[in-house]
């Protein structure tokens, strides 16, 4: 799994290794299956997480990204719990977005428990904006992203968009199983809340069932977007076959 950024169709940006799998693993698998090129940016190494060490998490992250054929997975190493939208960080992420030239960027929604997730939402917004500024010299040609969507990691939401991931559910689970240190290792004493393997998978499954119910399928992942979604045909939009 290369770390070198290359052009992709869908760029997923998470605060910590495993966030994009946790929030949109099925969507990544599904988009891989239809031929879209996928790239992943982890903003931090997750070095303050209560499970696993950073090197193991990095190895697992690359292993997980193989499930959905990611073209690259790179880490900006901004510092766990230190994510913010300082100008130098906006420019760093904007340069990555320019190099990746995605049509769609997916990242955290603003309302999430972890402060890094909230901060990531704002950082990504600003970086997408900066990436499009032709007068801003970042050493890479400017790039305009078509769409920005946001996913939850710790709650069921009223989404603007729902993606049916029922057909790829086994692979979606596999993306999480590959983070063995997070989802299969015993929970340490420090972390006695509901964060064991069974809890994680049950939460993800329950959430996907709840989101799926909204569109009449078994499993779905929900996204919110701050932009209008252009639609050509209402009948086709809601067609079930
Ligand atoms: Zn996270």
């Amino acid at each position: 799994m290369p770390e070198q950024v290359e052009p992709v169709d869908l760029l997923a940006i998470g605060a910590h290794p495993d966030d994009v799998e946790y929030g949109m693993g099925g969507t990544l698998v599904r988009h891989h299956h239809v031929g879209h090129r996928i790239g992943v940016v982890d903003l931090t190494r997750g070095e303050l997480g209560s499970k696993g060490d950073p090197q193991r998490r990095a190895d697992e992250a690359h292993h997980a990204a193989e499930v959905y054929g990611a073209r690259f997975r790179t880490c900006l190493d901004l510092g766990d719990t230190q994510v913010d939208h300082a100008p130098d960080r906006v420019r760093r992420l904007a340069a990555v977005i320019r190099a990746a030239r995605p049509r769609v960027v997916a990242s955290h929604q603003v309302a999430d428990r972890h402060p890094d997730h909230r901060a990531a939402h704002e950082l990504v917004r600003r970086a997408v904006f900066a990436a499009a500024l032709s007068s801003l010299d970042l050493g890479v040609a400017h790039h305009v992203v078509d769409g920005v969507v946001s996913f939850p990691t710790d709650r069921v939401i009223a989404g603007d968009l729902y993606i049916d991931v029922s057909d790829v559910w086994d692979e979606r689970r596999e993306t999480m199983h590959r983070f063995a240190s997070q989802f299969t290792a015993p929970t340490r004493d420090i972390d006695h809340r509901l964060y064991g393997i069974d809890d994680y998978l049950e939460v993800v499954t329950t959430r996907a069932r709840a989101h799926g119910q909204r569109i009449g399928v078994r499993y779905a992942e929900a996204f919110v977007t701050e932009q209008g979604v252009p639609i050509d045909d209402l009948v086709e939009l809601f067609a079930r076959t």
Side-chain angles (χ1 to χ4, degrees), residues 174-219:
E174 175 63 15
T175 67
M176 293 187 61
H177 275 295
R178 294 199 173 193
F179 286 92
S181 70
Q182 303 303 297
F183 300 129
T184 58
T187 302
R188 288 192 347 196
D189 291 344
I190 185 177
D191 202 4
H192 51 74
R193 299 203 306 165
L194 293 174
Y195 290 109
I197 172 62
D198 294 340
D199 303 304
Y200 269 123
L201 291 177
E202 186 174 345
V203 166
V204 165
T205 303
T206 305
R207 186 179 64 198
R209 287 280 278 153
H211 287 149
Q213 187 178 36
R214 294 286 290 141
I215 57 169
V217 303
R218 188 164 184 82
Y219 298 115

Side-chain angles (χ1 to χ4, degrees), residues 14-20 22 44 57 80 108 112 114 116-117 153:
H16 314 102
D18 76 23
D19 276 337
V20 300
Y22 198 57
T44 79
R57 289 187 77 171
D80 200 348
H108 296 280
D112 232 39
H114 199 300
D116 277 348
H117 296 189
T153 63

Side-chain angles (χ1 to χ4, degrees), residues 75-152:
C75 180
L76 295 192
D77 197 9
L78 300 184
D80 200 348
T81 77
Q82 303 299 313
V83 176
D84 62 20
H85 52 80
D88 64 314
R89 292 170 161 209
V90 172
R91 286 193 294 270
R92 272 189 71 191
L93 183 56
V96 170
I97 291 170
R98 286 184 177 186
R101 311 193 72 72
R103 294 171 64 184
V104 173
V105 168
S107 188
H108 296 280
Q109 67 162 6
V110 69
D112 232 39
R113 182 183 70 88
H114 199 300
D116 277 348
H117 296 189
R118 295 168 176 260
H121 177 82
E122 183 65 19
L123 173 60
V124 168
R125 283 189 62 192
R126 289 173 181 251
V128 167
F129 190 87
L133 298 175
S134 59
S135 57
L136 178 63
D137 184 6
L138 297 173
V140 192
H142 78 286
H143 173 70
V144 180
V145 172
D146 291 336
V148 180
V149 298
S150 305
F151 57 80

